Amino acid sequence: MDSPDPALSRAAEIIEQASGDKSARPSIAGFFDEATNTVTYVVHDPASGEGAIIDSVLDFEAASGRTSNGPADLVIEYVRRHELKIAWILETHAHADHISAAPYLQERLGGKLGIGREIIRVQEVFGKLFNAGTDFERDGSQFDHLFEDGETIALGAIEGIVLHVPGHTPADMAFIFGDAAFVGDTIFMPDFGTARADFPGGDAAQLYRSIRRLLSLPDETRLFLCHDYKAPGRDEYAWETTVRQQREENVHVRDGVTEEEFVAMRTGRDRQLAMPKLIMPSVQVNIRGGRLPDPEDNGVSYIKIPVNAV
């Protein structure tokens, strides 16, 4: 009898195989950027050295409009020191709290730039908000590959699969390599809870279902998170947990919390949250694959700030 969720079943098979076979597990390095509370990951196959970079960060100083490459340069130094071959530069979604360094990394390290296919919906919504004009293509063509739910991906001998986990945004994807799942902004450390769902295209009920889908993976699945903000009472940043720990301890969505309860909680909390400080520059650039808007006739790129529109 066919599984009602074949992508999830295949993901579980990959994780279970890797849990019992160390050679099927990836090596993972996390680079935490405290300015944006973001973790960039380099994940690779130890045997072949083939790897991927997930959720990179470009420094952006909002007051001056200046960019710099400090966080990305740390990643480049690590990749070169370990003589890795970068096959993919992956985005779990179009981030609203930091600008991607994907073009900078791709120019220096190679690899294909990939994101979920639903980025097209995000481009449509924000293309209108920023009045991007007809020159801005809303078809995902700024990326090298648009992933579908259940699509397989590999790094050398490390098997992987991609799961669509919308709710925070329509385009969120989780990338699974071996026994490790990189879940983006769906869920945070158990003592901090879950991501907001009030951005355009976000949906708290959909987020709940996406999280429960992830938490249907084997208990031993390692979950690597995109952000950490140090929950009250915790002094250290942390970004790795497991399915078992989340199911038992997550303050928002542990086992026993219903969808109705979650939606009421999430909706109420989101009403009290300020917009991320870098949402306007971040989304505007990230829907372009991390590229700045085209320079105007004076050779300068500009970030638009819509007034009284959000």
Side-chain angles (χ1 to χ4, degrees), residues 25 86 102 126 160 167 170 179 212 223 242:
R25 300 176 201 169
I86 296 301
F126 283 98
D179 66 335
R212 294 312 306 181
L223 302 180
T242 65

Side-chain angles (χ1 to χ4, degrees), residues 88-92 112-116 143-147 175:
W88 289 100
I89 298 173
L90 301 172
E91 304 286 358
T92 55
K112 293 181 179 180
L113 176 57
I115 199 168
F143 301 85
D144 298 314
H145 188 79
L146 304 181
F147 285 98
F175 294 93

